[in-house]
Amino acid sequence: MPDDTPIEPGIPVPDAGEPVPVSPGRRERLRSSQRAGRRFWLALAAVVALLVAGAYWAGTHATSPAAIQKRYKPAPRTVLTATVVLRRLSQTLTVRGVIAAASVRQVGFGSVNVPGAQPIVTARPPRVGSAVADGSVLAQVAGRPVFAMAGVTPMYRDLTTGDRGPDVAQLQDGLAALGFPTGDSFGVFGRSTNAAVRAFYRNSGYAPPASTSGKGGALVVPQAEIVFIPRLPAVLQSSSLVLGQPVGDPALTLASGQLRAVVPLTAAQIGLVRPGHPAVLYITGHGGAVRRVAAKVTAIRRVGRAAGKAARSGPKAVLAPRRPLRWSLMGHRVTVRIVIAATRGAVLAVPVSALFTTADGQTMVTTIIHGKRVSVQVRAGAETGGYVPVQPLRGQLAAGDRVVVGE
């Protein structure tokens, strides 16, 4: 049956089977809207994922108040203890000085007068450190020797036949000690002394001194050819002699006597050191090796005059080694450890930090016995090397016990 419904003119009615036509602009807007929707959901998913991850991290890394309290809980108190010892206590003083000889003497050759010659050193002089014995040649000047002889009276004049005096007697003693005795009266330069001098010179490899009146006359021993030295043998400590150069003054410095350590002391130290105090010398050699030598204090020099200077030097302690030192050590630096106080024997001792004083003035130490603290009253002596000798007055204290020194 035909549809009789009236249709208004001007309003198109599309066919139900055909799609509604869409313009190109509208189509592009639809696509943009779809893309924006997808971006929104993706961003929302990312935010949710971050929130979930943050919640998981917070759950695994969060610290509870109980854990915090446990972590920052104070450590248990640690008790520091030391052992009570039974030993000899000593207090030492460490000072530094030098190894020196007991006696140092400067030697001059006097008026060297060789007719027709200058006082020039004409042979290689002895080396520093070499030994100087009785009868040694100290130098050769203008071809003539300068001999060392033991004696205390200086050679102050030329000696010849007929001279008398203590210097002649000293020369006769020196010749006899070297194996050339004289038959003249003691202190008289006679024919026998003349012959002994000639024999001594020839034995040393030198011509005898010139005679006063030519061949066969009485010889004259020049004042400059013999030097009397109080202590021989000695060691040549320094020399101003140079081959081909004039003789200086002083010509030589000789060291004699046993080597010892000489150390300066301060005003505070000099009151602590006494002669007889034992000591140990630590001598550093050329290769760096340290030699340990037992010694003792032999003298205290309060004030001395420095060599070659007007100023006075300060106090010094002189220490003698218990066995002789090699002369090669002279002038070496030395560290000296002097025992200035010591107990007579082994005593009960604790570290000084173990002592404490109570309110009523009692000196105490605290021992640990079976894990418990026990206070022991003691009488304490003078501190020596970080330890204090103690005597228990109330309570028990023995070597090997543990005492509290800190916590």
Side-chain angles (χ1 to χ4, degrees), residues 16-73:
E18 295 182 3
V20 179
V22 180
S23 64
R26 183 179 179 187
R27 186 179 296 113
E28 186 63 29
R29 285 193 299 272
L30 288 175
R31 290 174 182 163
S32 299
S33 175
Q34 292 172 353
R35 286 196 297 271
R38 283 196 298 272
R39 286 195 296 270
F40 170 78
W41 290 111
L42 287 174
L44 182 61
V47 171
V48 172
L50 289 174
L51 291 175
V52 172
Y56 174 78
W57 183 90
T60 56
H61 289 77
T63 305
S64 65
I68 294 175
Q69 183 179 6
K70 182 179 180 180
R71 179 182 300 177
Y72 294 101
K73 183 180 179 180

Side-chain angles (χ1 to χ4, degrees), residues 181-367:
T182 64
D184 295 328
S185 298
F186 192 62
V188 178
F189 199 119
R191 294 172 62 94
S192 180
T193 303
N194 191 315
V197 170
R198 291 179 185 275
F200 167 67
Y201 268 79
R202 290 192 182 100
N203 185 73
S204 302
Y206 290 91
S211 301
T212 56
S213 57
K215 186 176 181 180
L219 60 74
V220 176
V221 181
Q223 175 263 335
E225 291 192 9
I226 295 180
V227 177
F228 287 104
I229 300 172
R231 301 185 68 174
L232 288 176
V235 172
L236 182 58
Q237 180 171 310
S238 63
S239 172
S240 65
L241 301 177
V242 179
L243 181 62
Q245 298 296 320
V247 176
D249 188 25
L252 306 171
T253 301
L254 299 181
S256 57
Q258 184 179 0
L259 292 182
R260 67 268 182 87
V262 180
V263 295
L265 299 176
T266 65
Q269 293 170 342
I270 195 172
L272 302 175
V273 181
R274 296 286 185 273
H277 280 174
V280 177
L281 311 181
Y282 298 90
I283 308 170
T284 303
H286 291 297
V290 178
R291 183 179 180 184
R292 186 176 183 272
V293 180
K296 69 175 181 177
V297 179
T298 57
I300 303 295
R301 295 178 181 172
R302 298 286 173 172
V303 177
R305 186 174 295 279
K309 298 181 180 179
R312 291 183 176 271
S313 59
K316 293 180 175 62
V318 180
L319 300 98
R322 298 196 179 275
R323 61 177 183 270
L325 299 177
R326 300 191 308 269
W327 279 100
S328 59
L329 295 175
M330 185 171 61
H332 282 226
R333 294 292 178 182
V334 60
T335 299
V336 181
R337 187 168 295 170
I338 305 172
V339 179
I340 57 177
T343 58
R344 294 184 179 275
V347 295
L348 207 62
V350 298
V352 65
S353 56
L355 300 176
F356 67 93
T357 304
T358 61
D360 56 356
Q362 296 179 351
T363 302
M364 311 287 288
V365 297
T366 300
T367 62

Side-chain angles (χ1 to χ4, degrees), residues 160-189:
T160 187
T161 302
D163 289 336
R164 299 169 179 264
D167 52 345
V168 175
Q170 184 173 252
L171 176 62
Q172 291 171 332
D173 282 341
L175 291 170
L178 293 170
F180 304 95
T182 64
D184 295 328
S185 298
F186 192 62
V188 178
F189 199 119

